[in-house]
Amino acid sequence: MNRLTFPPGSLILMLLLLTPWASASYWVGVSKADITGPAVGSGMMGYADSSQISAGINDRQWARAFVVSQDEKSHRLAIVVIDAGAVFASVYQAVLTRLEQQFGSLYNRHNVILTATHTHSAAAGQSHHFLYNMPHGVFDDRAFEKMVSGIVQAVRMAHEDLAPSEIWMKTGLLDNASRNRSLSAYENNVDASQKDSIDRIVQQLRFTRGGQPLGAITWFATHAVSYPGSNHLLSSDNKGYASWAFERHAKYNWGVASFIAAFPQSNAGDMTPNLNLDGTGPGKTPDESVREIGQRQFKKALELFNARGRKVFGPIVSVQNWVDFSNYEVRQEYSGQPELVKTCNPAMGYSFAAGTEDGRSPFLVRLILGAYEGRKNEQWWIRKITDFLTSPSEEELRCQRPKPVMLSLGSEKNFHYFNDVFPSGNMHREVINQPWVPEVLPLMLAQLGNFQIAALPVEPTVMAGRRLRKRLSELSGIPLRHIVIAGYSNDYASYLSTAEEFSKQHYEGASTLYGPWELSAMLQAFSSLYMQLSKKEPPPVDEATPLDLSYLYDDVHMEDVLEKYDALFGKVVTDNQSNIHSGQSLKLRYIASHPRSGMDLDSFFYVQKKDDCTGLWDTIATDDDWTTRFKWQAGVATVEWTPDMYDKEGLYRILIRGEYYKAGPRGRRLKKRYESVSGAFYYSAHYPDTDTHSRDSFNTLRGSGTNRSCEK
C-alpha cells in the first residue's frame, strides 16, 4: 500500500493547530441555584392527580448549570439540568428573555439547553398551556418566578465561574436501574430482537480544572417516578438522590464542596425504575426504592468519573429550529411510505387515560372512559363528548389512526360558553380557548467537539432514541456512544414513539401527540439541523413562530397567605430527646407559619454541630438533605433528622427559621421573619470509616470531613 507522507512545514502547522487542545481545552463554569416551589399547598407535576398536593420537603429542587466556552469570549454552550417534571415553553421563553437582558446575544436559543429530570414530585403550575395546569386548575406565579429566576441565577453564576478547564467523555453500562414498562409495544418494532428492551448506556461529561474535580453531567434513561402519586413531599426523586450522593461524596472525600453533579434524562419514555413493574421495587417501600435506584446511578457515575476516558476537543457549534409539528410534511426517505405524509394536529388517545403498566389510572376512571392499553376503537358516547369539548375534525381523526382520539389538543377553541358558567381557577379565562399543548417545538443540535447532544421536548422511547441516535451518527460519523438524546428539553410535548409502537396504542403511543409519523418528522428535522450545523444547508427562511401566551398571565397571581395574628411562631412544642445514636432519628415539632410565605428562604431549618475548637455552630444539614424531612400541617411543622455515616459524634441543635405575611394598614401586607433554636442534644456515632470507594482516583483529600484536633 502507499505510504502517507507530509512535508516538514505541514507537520509543524498540524502541531500548532493541535497545541491549544493539549491541556486545558475549554473554559468551563459550573453552579447551581434553588428552584424549589411552594412546600405546602402546591399541586405536583407528573401524575396529573389533583389530590397530590405538597405538604412538606423531602429534598429541594435545583437548577444545575454548566457553561462551556472555547475561550473566555467565544461561542459557548449552556446546559442547565433542572429538577422538575418538565421544562415548559413559558419557562424557556422567559429564561431566554432575561438572559438577553443581562448578557445581550451571548446566551440565546441556539446555545442554551434547559433539560428536566422529570421528577413527578416537584411543584406544578408553571406552564402557560392549559393541559399541564388542568389537574390543579392553577398557574402559580410564585412557583414560575422561583424556577425562572433560579435558572437565570445558575447560568449567571456559572458564567462568572468560567476558567480554563478540561472535559472528558465517558460511557458505561447500567442494567439494574430500569425496565421496559411497555414491552409488547417495544417488541412490535421490526428491529426489537436486535437490541435490549432497556437502554443500559450511561453517558458522562467529566469536568476538571487543573486536574481537580469540578462537576459531571451523567445521562441515563430511567423515569424519576420511584415516589408514587401518594407522595406529598417535594422531591427530585432518584435523579435528585444521585446528585446529592455524588456532591456529598465530593465534599467529604475530595474536599470539593462546590462540585456540581447533574443526572439528566435521555430516551426514558418507556423506561421505569419500578423494577417490579407494578409501581414498586427494588425496595420494599418507595423511600427504599428511590434511594436504591439513585445510589445505583451515583455509583456508576463515580466509577466513570474515576475511569480513563476520552478527552473532548474541537469547536463548539449549535443550532436550534422552531418546527411546526401540527402540520409537518415528511419525505419518503424518512417515513418509508410511497408518498409524502404529514404529522397531525396534537391529540391524546384513549390509552392515555389508562395510565402505564406500572402506574394505572384509578379503576373507576378506566371503567367509565373505557380506557385500556391497546384500545383502537371509540366509545360512541365518549366520541359525543369529545366532539362537544374539543371538536376534532374528520381530517384529524384520519391523520391520527389507529389512535382513537379522546382529546384534540391543538388549534384555537371556543369555550366561551363554559367561561360564563364555570370558574377559571387561577388562570385567565381565555387560556382554555388557546391550544392546550404547544404545536411549534424547539429542536436543538449541539456539538461539543467530538460529543453531540440532540435536545428535544418530548419523552422518546428507547427505540425512538436509538433510531435518532443512529441517524445522527450516520450523518456526522460520531460514534453512537458519544451522541446523547436529551429528551425533556426546552419545552414539553408528551411522548415520542416509533410508528410500530404507535400502532399498538399503549400509553406511550396514545401520548405521542402528533400522529404515527412524529418520529419520522424528528429524523427529518434533525437531519436538517445537522446540515445547518455543518454549513451544508442554510437556516430556514420561513421558520415557524411559537405561541407566546405570557400576555394572558400578566395579572394572574396567587394570593399570599395572611396570618390572622402573631402566633408564637418558632416555639418548640415537642422537644428532642437529649441523646440519639446511630440508626435513630430525631423529631422536633414547632409552631410554624404557612411555608408558602417562606419561599425565599434557603431552608426552614438547619441541623448544626458545635465546633469543639471555636464553640461556633456549623450547619451540617438542611431541608435539602436526604437525611432530613420537613412536614407541615395545621400550623405545626415537624423536622426529622436521621444521621448517616458522614455525620460526626458531638453536640447538635436545630435552628428554625420562617417568614409570614400579616395584614398591615391601608391594605398593605407586612412580611415578618422569625427564628428560634431547639435544645442541644448529643449524637453518638457508631458508623465505620466513610471510605467505601477504594478505587477513587480523586481521593487525595480523603478525611477532610472528619474531626480535627484544635490548633493551639
Side-chain angles (χ1 to χ4, degrees):
M1 70 185 207
N2 294 330
R3 183 177 179 181
L4 192 61
T5 59
F6 298 97
S10 64
L11 286 173
I12 295 173
L13 179 61
M14 289 174 65
L15 288 172
L16 288 173
L17 289 171
L18 291 173
T19 297
W21 308 107
S23 54
S25 303
Y26 302 96
W27 285 57
V28 178
V30 302
S31 188
K32 71 177 185 179
D34 190 357
I35 59 170
T36 309
V40 173
S42 171
M44 299 167 82
M45 167 64 192
Y47 290 113
D49 184 349
S50 59
S51 67
Q52 192 186 19
I53 306 295
S54 63
I57 296 177
N58 183 83
D59 59 288
R60 287 189 171 254
Q61 287 72 67
W62 297 89
R64 292 177 169 88
F66 302 79
V67 174
V68 184
S69 178
Q70 288 175 249
D71 54 49
E72 191 175 6
K73 297 181 179 180
S74 68
H75 188 75
R76 60 200 56 209
L77 178 66
I79 304 172
V80 187
V81 182
I82 68 170
D83 295 322
V87 177
F88 295 115
S90 53
V91 172
Y92 179 57
Q93 292 168 2
V95 167
L96 291 179
T97 298
R98 296 191 195 184
L99 288 176
E100 183 181 16
Q101 292 169 351
Q102 292 190 28
F103 298 100
S105 61
L106 192 61
Y107 298 100
N108 55 73
R109 69 182 177 98
H110 294 290
N111 65 5
V112 173
I113 298 175
L114 308 183
T115 187
T117 61
H118 199 45
T119 173
H120 285 41
S121 292
Q126 302 93 347
S127 177
H128 286 168
H129 285 95
F130 177 71
L131 183 71
Y132 304 126
N133 292 340
M134 183 171 63
H136 305 285
V138 167
F139 171 76
D140 192 329
D141 58 308
R142 292 287 301 282
F144 173 83
E145 177 58 30
K146 187 68 179 285
M147 181 175 287
V148 171
S149 60
I151 293 171
V152 173
Q153 180 186 2
V155 173
R156 177 180 56 78
M157 292 190 298
H159 172 84
E160 294 170 352
D161 185 56
L162 282 167
S165 306
E166 309 83 33
I167 309 177
W168 305 79
M169 53 186 172
K170 317 286 189 73
T171 57
L173 299 176
L174 181 59
D175 56 11
N176 64 348
S178 64
R179 285 189 68 180
N180 195 308
R181 68 185 187 191
S182 196
L183 193 59
S184 62
Y186 172 84
E187 291 175 341
N188 200 46
N189 288 300
V190 294
D191 48 349
S193 61
Q194 303 172 18
K195 299 286 185 179
D196 290 336
S197 62
I198 65 171
D199 189 348
R200 301 188 298 148
I201 297 176
V202 182
Q203 298 162 293
Q204 184 183 90
L205 288 179
R206 182 184 80 174
F207 303 96
T208 58
R209 183 175 294 166
Q212 294 300 309
L214 184 64
I217 308 176
T218 307
W219 286 270
F220 178 68
T222 193
H223 256 70
V225 293
S226 294
Y227 278 132
S230 58
N231 171 55
H232 294 278
L233 299 182
L234 295 181
S235 177
S236 304
D237 212 273
N238 58 65
K239 296 286 184 178
Y241 183 88
S243 291
W244 176 78
F246 203 166
E247 291 170 359
R248 193 166 165 82
H249 177 89
K251 175 181 178 181
Y252 286 105
N253 292 276
W254 303 338
V256 185
S258 59
F259 187 84
I260 305 297
F263 285 80
Q265 295 285 4
S266 56
N267 38 240
D270 47 1
M271 300 291 98
T272 178
N274 301 316
L275 304 187
N276 297 335
L277 291 182
D278 61 358
T280 68
K284 295 179 180 179
T285 67
D287 195 58
E288 287 182 8
S289 295
V290 72
R291 292 168 185 267
E292 183 58 34
I293 294 296
Q295 184 76 357
R296 292 175 186 182
Q297 292 178 76
F298 155 61
K299 286 184 176 180
K300 176 56 67 173
L302 180 61
E303 175 189 316
L304 292 177
F305 200 90
N306 287 320
R308 290 180 60 86
R310 185 172 181 179
K311 197 164 190 180
V312 177
F313 64 90
I316 300 172
V317 288
S318 55
V319 63
Q320 187 250 47
N321 284 172
W322 295 106
V323 181
D324 186 353
F325 267 75
S326 68
N327 187 32
Y328 186 73
E329 196 171 78
V330 184
R331 300 193 298 273
Q332 294 93 322
E333 62 190 279
Y334 294 99
S335 68
Q337 299 301 298
E339 56 188 17
L340 293 174
V341 295
K342 287 186 176 183
T343 55
C344 314
N345 207 41
M348 290 287 196
Y350 279 65
S351 300
F352 159 74
T356 66
E357 280 88 339
D358 70 331
R360 292 293 182 206
S361 299
F363 174 76
L364 189 59
V365 172
R366 287 180 280 138
L367 179 65
I368 293 174
L369 297 179
Y372 56 84
E373 286 202 299
R375 178 154 197 163
K376 300 178 185 179
N377 62 318
E378 300 172 326
Q379 290 212 116
W380 68 268
W381 65 275
I382 294 292
R383 172 65 186 275
K384 294 295 184 182
I385 296 174
T386 299
D387 288 344
F388 176 70
L389 289 178
T390 59
S391 306
S393 66
E394 287 300 322
E395 180 184 355
E396 180 180 342
L397 296 174
R398 285 194 301 270
C399 184
Q400 289 280 358
R401 287 175 185 164
K403 178 199 293 181
V405 174
M406 176 173 280
L407 284 176
S408 174
L409 302 172
S411 304
E412 291 190 14
K413 307 181 187 306
N414 184 3
F415 281 99
H416 299 291
Y417 50 88
F418 272 157
N419 286 340
D420 295 334
V421 178
F422 296 105
S424 64
N426 204 59
M427 293 185 284
H428 193 285
R429 290 186 177 277
E430 181 60 25
V431 171
I432 197 173
N433 294 314
Q434 301 297 321
W436 288 9
V437 296
E439 296 175 310
V440 177
L441 304 182
L443 306 184
M444 182 174 172
L445 186 62
Q447 198 156 310
L448 179 58
N450 46 344
F451 189 85
Q452 197 173 81
I453 303 171
L456 57 166
V458 288
E459 303 186 44
T461 63
V462 58
M463 187 60 80
R466 282 176 181 153
R467 291 182 183 176
L468 179 55
R469 187 183 289 115
K470 179 182 178 182
R471 176 58 181 163
L472 291 172
S473 180
E474 291 170 348
L475 289 169
S476 65
I478 295 176
L480 292 170
R481 65 184 182 276
H482 296 153
I483 299 175
V484 166
I485 305 302
Y488 312 85
S489 295
N490 295 339
D491 199 349
Y492 183 69
S494 200
Y495 282 75
L496 176 67
S497 62
T498 68
E500 301 99 305
E501 292 165 347
F502 187 92
S503 70
K504 293 290 286 186
Q505 278 303 290
H506 281 226
Y507 177 83
E508 294 79 12
S511 303
T512 296
L513 299 182
Y514 307 99
W517 308 116
E518 185 176 334
L519 175 58
S520 299
M522 285 286 181
L523 295 173
Q524 180 174 305
F526 271 98
S527 297
S528 177
L529 281 169
Y530 176 76
M531 299 302 285
Q532 296 170 48
L533 200 72
S534 56
K535 306 299 182 183
K536 298 177 182 178
E537 183 179 299
V541 294
D542 55 348
E543 190 174 19
T545 302
L547 186 64
D548 184 357
L549 297 175
S550 59
Y551 70 97
L552 294 176
Y553 291 89
D554 290 340
D555 298 319
V556 177
H557 304 289
M558 289 286 286
E559 291 295 326
D560 294 320
V561 177
L562 297 180
E563 305 294 345
K564 295 181 179 179
Y565 52 89
D566 286 308
L568 298 174
F569 294 133
K571 180 182 178 181
V572 175
V573 294
T574 303
D575 210 342
N576 48 273
Q577 54 266 49
S578 59
N579 294 288
I580 62 170
H581 306 279
S582 301
Q584 293 182 326
S585 297
L586 175 138
K587 285 190 178 183
L588 179 71
R589 299 175 72 239
Y590 64 94
I591 298 173
S593 58
H594 197 291
R596 181 177 179 84
S597 302
M599 284 182 63
D600 294 332
L601 297 172
D602 60 0
S603 181
F604 288 103
F605 65 87
Y606 307 82
V607 180
Q608 298 184 324
K609 181 181 181 295
K610 190 172 185 179
D611 190 298
D612 296 334
C613 301
T614 65
L616 300 176
W617 293 91
D618 300 324
T619 297
I620 58 95
T622 68
D623 62 17
D624 176 52
D625 285 275
W626 283 75
T627 56
T628 68
R629 276 187 178 152
F630 172 77
K631 302 176 183 178
W632 186 92
Q633 184 177 12
V636 177
T638 302
V639 173
E640 298 179 20
W641 176 52
T642 305
D644 69 1
M645 63 182 182
Y646 288 119
D647 296 316
K648 305 304 175 184
E649 191 170 292
L651 194 64
Y652 286 79
R653 72 178 187 182
I654 308 292
L655 174 66
I656 297 165
R657 284 183 181 160
E659 293 180 336
Y660 65 98
Y661 288 97
K662 188 181 177 185
R666 300 179 182 177
R668 296 172 58 192
R669 294 170 184 166
L670 304 178
K671 191 170 188 178
K672 296 187 175 184
R673 176 172 291 193
Y674 60 91
E675 182 176 302
S676 65
V677 180
S678 75
F681 59 95
Y682 196 86
Y683 167 57
S684 300
H686 300 291
Y687 280 103
D689 180 17
T690 59
D691 177 19
T692 58
H693 307 282
S694 57
R695 296 184 61 200
D696 193 334
S697 58
F698 290 95
N699 242 2
T700 56
L701 296 175
R702 191 190 332 277
S704 62
T706 61
N707 290 330
R708 65 187 188 280
S709 299
C710 298
E711 297 180 0
K712 295 183 179 179

